[in-house]
Amino acid sequence: MKNYDLVRHVKGESKFVDDILTPEGCLHAYVLYSQIAHGDIKSVNIDDALQMEGVEGIFTAKDIPGENQIGGIIQDEELLASCKVDFIGQPIAIVVAKTVALAKEASKKIIVDIEELTPVIDPRVAFEKGELIMSPRVFSLGDVEANWNKCALIVEGTVESGGQEHLYLETQGAFACPVEGGGVKIVSSTQSPTTVQKTAAKVLGLKMHLIEVDVLRLGGGFGGKEDQASQWAAMAAMAALKLNKPVKLILPRQDDLRMTGKRHPYSSDYKMGLNKEGKIVNYEVTFYQNAGASADLSPAILDRTLFHCTNSYFVPNVKATACSCKTNLPPNTAFRGFGGPQGMFVIEAAIYKAAEKLGIDPCFIQEKNLLAEGDEFSYGQKAEQCMATASWESAISKFNLPHLKKEIDEFNAASKIVKKGIALMPICFGISFTTTFLNQASALVHVYSDGSVGVSTGAIEMGQGVNMKIRQVVASVFSIKIDRIKNETTNTTRNANTSATAASSGADLNGKAAQLACNNILNRLKDAAAKYLSLENSDLIEIKDEVIYYENKPTRLLWNELISSAYMQRVSLSSHAYYAPPGIYFDKDKAKGKPFAYHVYGTAIIQVAVDCLKGVYEIESVKIVHDFGKSINKAIDRSQTEGAVMQGIGWMTMEELKYNENGRLLTDALSTYKVPDIYFAPKEFEVEFLDNPNDSLAVFNSKAIGEPPFMYGIGAYFAIMNAMKSYKPEKNFEIISPMTPERLLLSLYN
Ligand code: MTE
Ligand code: MOS
């Protein structure tokens, strides 16, 4: 099953926001932003800029007709800075002109007077000052205090993990067009059309029904367009309504890098206690999340750090505290894994340090502590259909780990400068939005009288193949050819109150809604077929490969004739359906519940070669056994796995965001921010499908795949550490990621 969208991508036929044919008179907007990370705005003078030929309007905070508020979870963020600025890149004015170049030129003539204050960049400094987004959150299980004296070994330390730029190929942007009745139609590059609609309505002081949001597809989102696509859409909509002309706003790459939030950097303290058999008895951890200047999605991301702080291990006594710290950086936001990777990295670091103390391979401790069926997570849910040990054992035997290790030992004994290293990385990731009410979706299916089908859902296609999966669901329920089906754009007038396509649950939630809608139509079609064929029992009717069967025997009726007959019989060929997964809940106050529909498991073995003189490394192989459930599209699932792993490895190794002490992003271009390319891709990449067909909350038992494999990337960090250790066995390295070549050399020789 080829993903049709990819064919269009390769041919260059796919359309993105900036490809929309704009109507005559379309204007272009450019956003002027703060060059200062913290300060009070004394004045903003737009007079000279407004005089420029071709400039049609300039809007600042005081021009906002509704509320100057865009915070999704906490109302703490202005669309346009009114009296203070909190980060470099914070929008101050929207300049609208006949061309982009003119708008940018005019923005340089705006004089902004800001009285500078000292910025805070470090989350621990923010914590000391009491600058928190909300009060700290705690998850606990058992009794940590009572058990330290039962531990044979206790390790303590700190762990740093860096941020990460989403680097979606299509930058943030929107196109807005005024429509009759004072409303506006917005085409946006967003993972969450409803958030765009709500935000625009609030900013413009309009009812939601006056705002229509339409999304064809995104050139990547990776979480960066879950919340942070809304402001650009709201700005374009405001300019469009003010000037009564269509307005397009597309962020230039460098502005996008500077203005938008990223994965949260974390600084964490851990303390782990183990008994003499190597079982983890106690785990205490405190996370300091660098949230940036406002809440954005930080509280939810912080929660997922806690949910995944013990990864795929059973720990009987856990105390995990998480603090969201307010700093003068752009508000950090969702990024594949949603805080999970930051949590998992710390427990892997603690295990690594415990193993180092014992002089053993970390995988002995990892293996001893893998989750078993029925084990309880710190948030109260139990591990069900647990694949932790199955995937671990399967990876070891399928890829012959003892042999790989022996080869590495032999290589390292003979090689002085280049050292090889290996690490195992088990993962366990919960599927569902942990904010329970967000787990809902809807779909609208039309069968047209010629037998073709259109399906629209709340899902956003952003390269992950959700449209193809939904199309497969429709094809499967009707048992018709896939090319009869078309995915319509995601549009707020067809599916309202949708959740973001996020939390890896896009296909599960929207696929199930589409399945329900198709079933509604199918039932009507069966009745229509029975009538047409003068048969008694419509329950005995089935469609198989576009042929109508009765009692398992083909009839003369085919799909096309059935559809036209149903139409003539005045049977509705359309259905709208709603889906919400049953049985999930979470009590935030008690921090207990069953937040996840199911968990996804797997194990990766990652092997690297490190040049200990130059500091550079190669990823030699990535070998994975992953629990896909019963995959409905192996090509998509494999590519999601590969892409996520590479993104995870990038986060752990070469992708480094650097801010100076004034809060200025220094890595604001692709010359300074490095991402993995094809040459850095593993020389060998094997993905084995572990069959686990039992999860009925996954669409057609095909488990969510968008985020879980990201966390395999953590294995690359420890594989590099493993290689470094064989170069300098006497050294104990600090755990600071990303492990750039620079850091690697500093660690070896400092
Ligand atoms: N794959 C591609 N190609 N582009 C993306 O932007 N986003 C990831 C993942 N895979 C992304 C991607 C993220 S962060 C999530 S949450 C899921 O896709 C969302 O889609 P799904 O719910 O359909 O898996
Ligand atoms: Mo993904 S970070 O949930 O958009």
Side-chain angles (χ1 to χ4, degrees):
M1 279 294 178
K2 239 187 245 162
N3 185 353
Y4 284 37
D5 234 25
L6 301 185
V7 178
R8 292 195 186 119
H9 291 347
V10 171
K11 290 184 179 172
E13 289 172 357
S14 314
K15 299 277 183 236
F16 301 90
V17 176
D18 207 13
D19 300 321
I20 296 169
L21 294 174
T22 49
E24 214 183 301
C26 178
L27 300 173
H28 299 267
Y30 181 80
V31 185
L32 175 78
Y33 55 88
S34 175
Q35 300 291 343
I36 286 164
H38 192 198
D40 292 322
I41 300 178
K42 293 289 148 197
S43 64
V44 180
N45 185 333
I46 60 167
D47 297 347
D48 286 353
L50 210 46
Q51 295 308 313
M52 261 183 73
E53 173 91 28
V55 172
E56 304 251 331
I58 297 178
F59 307 108
T60 61
K62 61 180 189 326
D63 300 307
I64 293 174
E67 281 178 65
N68 187 10
Q69 267 303 328
I70 59 166
I73 299 178
I74 301 173
Q75 297 296 299
D76 67 346
E77 190 177 358
E78 290 184 330
L79 178 73
L80 295 169
S82 60
C83 35
K84 64 185 182 80
V85 288
D86 292 310
F87 63 94
I88 293 178
Q90 187 171 358
I92 295 173
I94 310 162
V95 185
V96 189
K98 291 210 159 74
T99 68
V100 183
L102 269 175
K104 192 170 180 184
E105 211 36 50
S107 77
K108 292 182 188 151
K109 300 205 164 147
I110 297 176
I111 304 154
V112 185
D113 183 16
I114 294 174
E115 193 176 297
E116 279 193 58
L117 300 166
T118 318
V120 175
I121 309 302
D122 186 318
R124 291 194 190 241
V125 173
F127 181 79
E128 289 306 321
K129 293 188 161 188
E131 288 287 333
L132 294 180
I133 298 286
M134 52 175 196
S135 39
R137 307 256 301 135
V138 181
F139 277 25
S140 63
L141 182 70
D143 187 346
V144 174
E145 287 315 315
N147 284 289
W148 289 118
N149 57 12
K150 291 180 194 146
C151 300
L153 173 71
I154 294 173
V155 283
E156 279 183 84
T158 66
V159 173
E160 305 287 334
S161 63
Q164 187 175 25
E165 163 58 37
H166 301 88
L167 216 78
Y168 24 67
L169 285 178
E170 180 193 27
T171 59
Q172 303 272 3
F175 167 72
C177 203
V179 295
E180 185 186 278
V184 62
K185 178 170 177 178
I186 305 172
V187 179
S188 163
S189 183
T190 178
Q191 288 173 243
S192 187
T194 295
T195 306
V196 168
Q197 183 191 22
K198 249 190 201 156
T199 307
K202 188 174 198 184
V203 166
L204 296 170
L206 293 178
K207 291 202 169 73
M208 279 171 77
H209 69 201
L210 285 175
I211 315 244
E212 174 183 348
V213 180
D214 192 76
V215 184
L216 174 56
R217 68 160 69 71
L218 316 188
F222 305 111
K225 295 170 182 169
E226 191 175 332
D227 213 43
Q228 297 205 357
S230 305
Q231 55 261 51
W232 324 110
M235 288 178 200
M238 175 167 127
L241 287 186
K242 291 252 173 200
L243 299 167
N244 199 25
K245 283 192 181 156
V247 174
K248 197 185 213 179
L249 192 170
I250 308 279
L251 287 192
R253 175 65 68 187
Q254 195 163 46
D255 288 355
D256 189 307
L257 293 171
R258 288 175 180 164
M259 298 171 89
T260 64
K262 303 167 196 320
R263 179 184 299 285
H264 297 73
Y266 274 57
S267 181
S268 312
D269 298 324
Y270 68 84
K271 185 175 175 188
M272 178 183 272
L274 300 93
N275 68 16
K276 36 181 205 312
E277 284 82 48
K279 280 254 184 202
I280 303 169
V281 177
N282 266 4
Y283 183 53
E284 194 170 340
V285 59
T286 307
F287 300 102
Y288 299 93
Q289 178 196 55
N290 191 335
S294 57
D296 193 88
L297 295 167
S298 295
I301 292 161
L302 194 75
D303 279 353
R304 201 175 265 275
T305 300
L306 291 170
F307 282 114
H308 294 317
C309 73
T310 53
N311 190 13
S312 60
Y313 308 111
F314 172 63
V315 184
N317 304 293
V318 181
K319 183 170 181 222
T321 309
C323 316
S324 186
C325 311
K326 199 168 179 167
T327 60
N328 295 106
L329 297 181
N332 285 316
T333 193
F335 196 139
R336 213 170 195 169
F338 208 77
Q342 291 95 320
M344 291 189 196
F345 183 51
V346 180
I347 192 161
E348 293 301 328
I351 289 173
Y352 176 88
K353 284 291 170 188
E356 185 176 66
K357 263 210 172 151
L358 295 169
I360 58 170
D361 192 317
C363 74
F364 294 115
I365 300 177
Q366 289 174 306
E367 183 172 282
K368 272 234 158 68
N369 291 282
L370 288 174
L371 280 163
E373 192 68 22
D375 280 345
E376 190 174 335
F377 294 95
S378 67
Y379 46 92
Q381 186 161 353
K382 301 242 162 80
E384 284 174 65
Q385 289 162 37
C386 179
M387 290 292 182
T389 301
S391 70
W392 178 273
E393 287 176 350
S394 163
I396 289 178
S397 65
K398 271 205 172 103
F399 303 123
N400 198 350
L401 183 70
H403 177 71
L404 294 176
K405 281 192 171 171
K406 188 164 158 274
E407 272 186 348
I408 290 175
D409 288 344
E410 284 168 11
F411 178 92
N412 286 349
S415 171
K416 241 175 142 174
I417 302 293
V418 178
K419 296 289 184 188
K420 294 193 177 188
I422 195 163
L424 274 78
M425 182 64 201
I427 59 139
C428 167
F429 196 77
I431 301 301
S432 288
F433 288 95
T434 58
T435 305
T436 305
F437 79 83
L438 292 174
N439 295 286
Q440 51 174 310
S442 62
L444 175 66
V445 175
H446 295 310
V447 178
Y448 294 97
S449 56
D450 69 350
S452 65
V453 180
V455 54
S456 12
T457 70
I460 298 289
E461 175 59 49
M462 52 186 136
Q464 86 281 38
V466 69
N467 275 359
M468 187 62 192
K469 287 186 176 175
I470 287 169
R471 201 187 293 203
Q472 283 182 256
V473 167
V474 175
S476 163
V477 175
F478 289 141
S479 194
I480 55 175
K481 286 202 206 71
I482 197 109
D483 50 10
R484 282 190 185 271
I485 303 151
K486 172 171 174 256
N487 296 101
E488 302 296 350
T489 59
T490 311
N491 186 300
T492 50
T493 66
R494 269 178 266 122
N495 290 290
N497 310 319
T498 58
S499 295
T501 297
S504 305
S505 51
D508 275 1
L509 300 176
N510 294 282
K512 290 243 178 190
Q515 189 182 356
L516 291 173
C518 292
N519 271 322
N520 291 342
I521 299 172
L522 181 65
N523 287 335
R524 290 180 219 140
L525 287 176
K526 285 181 181 174
D527 289 341
K531 216 164 169 189
Y532 182 80
L533 295 168
S534 309
L535 296 166
E536 298 245 307
N537 192 349
S538 64
D539 291 343
L540 300 177
I541 287 180
E542 260 182 299
I543 306 175
K544 288 188 209 167
D545 293 329
E546 310 204 340
V547 179
I548 300 2
Y549 280 64
Y550 188 72
E551 288 188 302
N552 284 322
K553 286 192 264 320
T555 66
R556 64 193 156 82
L557 189 59
L558 304 178
W559 172 261
N560 269 1
E561 291 79 68
L562 169 60
I563 297 306
S564 53
S565 154
Y567 173 67
M568 310 276 270
Q569 291 179 46
R570 297 192 294 169
V571 169
S572 164
L573 295 172
S574 299
S575 176
H576 189 269
Y578 173 87
Y579 175 73
I584 50 174
Y585 65 95
F586 187 67
D587 182 331
K588 278 212 163 173
D589 297 326
K590 297 197 181 104
K592 296 283 177 198
K594 185 177 182 292
F596 298 118
Y598 56 88
H599 288 89
V600 171
Y601 298 89
T603 301
I605 303 177
I606 299 188
Q607 185 178 319
V608 301
V610 178
D611 184 323
C612 295
L613 200 58
K614 294 182 189 156
V616 294
Y617 38 74
E618 265 184 16
I619 310 298
E620 295 203 309
S621 67
V622 174
K623 295 172 174 165
I624 295 171
V625 174
H626 186 84
D627 156 27
F628 289 88
K630 191 174 184 313
S631 174
I632 54 170
N633 193 315
K634 289 198 171 185
I636 288 175
D637 285 350
R638 185 183 295 274
S639 67
Q640 279 292 292
T641 306
E642 292 176 353
V645 171
M646 281 319 295
Q647 208 165 27
I649 293 178
W651 173 54
M652 285 276 102
T653 59
M654 63 167 70
E655 294 188 42
E656 185 175 38
L657 287 168
K658 274 205 164 174
Y659 295 90
N660 71 9
E661 68 283 1
N662 299 325
R664 182 170 295 280
L665 179 65
L666 300 175
T667 48
D668 62 357
L670 288 174
S671 55
T672 45
Y673 188 76
K674 294 292 179 194
V675 291
D677 60 13
I678 193 67
Y679 303 104
F680 187 67
K683 307 292 160 283
E684 262 183 272
F685 210 135
E686 290 189 59
V687 180
E688 288 282 338
F689 287 65
L690 188 69
D691 247 11
N692 175 21
N694 303 317
D695 266 295
S696 59
L697 291 176
V699 61
F700 286 2
N701 298 317
S702 178
K703 283 188 164 186
I705 189 63
E707 294 167 288
F710 181 94
M711 276 125 316
Y712 291 132
I714 294 170
Y717 185 92
F718 292 100
I720 292 173
M721 292 285 267
N722 182 244
M724 288 162 68
K725 194 79 179 172
S726 63
Y727 185 69
K728 289 239 167 135
E730 73 288 356
K731 269 206 132 173
N732 293 338
F733 305 108
E734 285 181 298
I735 310 276
I736 303 176
S737 77
M739 181 61 81
T740 58
E742 183 184 10
R743 174 157 333 273
L744 198 156
L745 287 181
L746 286 171
S747 312
L748 284 179
Y749 300 106
N750 245 1

